[in-house]
Amino acid sequence: GAGVSQSPRYKVAKRGQDVALRCDPISGHVSLFWYQQALGQGPEFLTYFQNEAQLDKSGLPSDRFFAERPEGSVSTLKIQRTQQEDSAVYLCASSPGGSLNTEAFFGQGTRLTVV
Amino acid sequence: QKEVEQNSGPLSVPEGAIASLNCTYSDRGSQSFFWYRQYSGKSPELIMFIYSNGDKEDGRFTAQLNKASQYVSLLIRDSQPSDSATYLCALKYSGAGSYQLTFGKGTKLSVIP
């Protein structure tokens, strides 16, 4: 595709509900990142995939958060038993490879509101 | 703890003036530095990156890096109302195999017509 696509754009979940957020990266991009952006804050790293391998999940805030990229393309971020503190914009980014000087392209994000 | 500090603003400048956005960081292992612009409700978009000490210019934008002082800045010349946005400073550091970006909280810039 032309850019990184995320769906849904908006999600309202009742506390305790499970949610799944989808990211479709730019075709051919090896690296895929998930970030969480709270209101008024900068994005914070959650997890990183190189192709289908999840190489870094150090930013996941709890074991309720789970991410996968089974075929090395589309990725899903799943949040189980959502809590109010999970309310944020979830950003996906992809890049052609992993290096210090490689640009990451961001999707529009999914705004999750837990009520 | 690898931190990136930015003044949250808002920074207000008149149209046509130079806007100066500043960022400091704590980790001397930081290698690459990125400036992203984020309009309200939109995703971050890259303006430019820098990894060598000194200045790097791209159109109306100049990034400045001083690794000894752990300081990076972004200058916007001839500021336009369309430049009004939040500017995010981010870095990548060696030792993070995933090369993820570590962001500051952002500085909100308002260009007054």
Side-chain angles (χ1 to χ4, degrees):
Chain A
V4 179
S5 178
Q6 292 188 246
S7 62
R9 289 292 313 279
Y10 305 92
K11 176 68 178 178
V12 178
K14 291 184 177 180
R15 190 167 49 188
Q17 184 179 354
D18 296 350
V19 298
L21 313 179
R22 176 189 169 104
C23 172
D24 200 339
I26 294 173
S27 178
H29 278 195
V30 169
S31 298
L32 186 145
F33 302 84
W34 283 99
Y35 291 85
Q36 179 191 59
Q37 186 172 24
L39 190 64
Q41 304 294 314
E44 291 194 359
F45 170 76
L46 294 177
T47 188
Y48 163 70
F49 289 86
Q50 184 180 82
N51 296 307
E52 70 278 2
Q54 188 176 21
L55 299 186
D56 188 346
K57 53 182 180 180
S58 61
L60 296 176
S62 78
D63 58 7
R64 296 186 295 104
F65 286 71
F66 171 77
E68 60 183 5
R69 193 186 185 196
E71 297 180 357
S73 179
V74 171
S75 177
T76 303
L77 176 66
K78 298 179 179 178
I79 308 173
Q80 297 176 325
R81 304 181 304 281
T82 51
Q83 304 295 315
Q84 283 193 319
E85 62 263 27
D86 300 334
S87 296
V89 175
Y90 291 84
L91 294 165
C92 176
S94 71
S95 65
S99 76
L100 288 170
N101 302 324
T102 304
E103 177 180 358
F105 298 84
F106 283 83
Q108 295 286 1
T110 294
R111 182 179 297 277
L112 172 66
T113 303
V114 181
V115 298
Chain B
Q1 184 76 11
K2 297 171 175 56
E3 295 184 347
V4 180
E5 297 291 337
Q6 294 183 257
N7 187 325
S8 62
L11 173 67
S12 295
V13 300
E15 184 175 355
I18 295 175
S20 178
L21 303 160
N22 305 313
C23 174
T24 59
Y25 59 96
S26 61
D27 180 25
R28 289 193 174 272
S30 302
Q31 297 288 340
S32 302
F33 304 85
F34 298 74
W35 283 100
Y36 281 83
R37 177 176 61 198
Q38 188 173 30
Y39 293 111
S40 181
K42 303 295 185 183
S43 61
E45 55 180 334
L46 183 68
I47 298 174
M48 61 193 307
F49 71 88
I50 185 169
Y51 53 87
S52 297
N53 275 326
D55 295 359
K56 180 180 179 181
E57 186 175 318
D58 184 0
R60 296 188 296 114
F61 299 94
T62 299
Q64 299 175 317
L65 174 60
N66 184 326
K67 289 189 175 183
S69 300
Q70 295 177 244
Y71 176 93
V72 58
S73 65
L74 179 70
L75 301 178
I76 306 175
R77 290 181 298 282
D78 187 24
S79 295
Q80 301 297 308
S82 59
D83 294 327
S84 298
T86 295
Y87 288 80
L88 297 164
C89 173
L91 58 84
K92 293 185 183 181
Y93 54 93
S94 60
S98 61
Y99 300 109
Q100 74 265 28
L101 292 160
T102 299
F103 285 89
K105 293 183 178 181
T107 298
K108 187 171 184 178
L109 173 66
S110 180
V111 180
I112 311 300

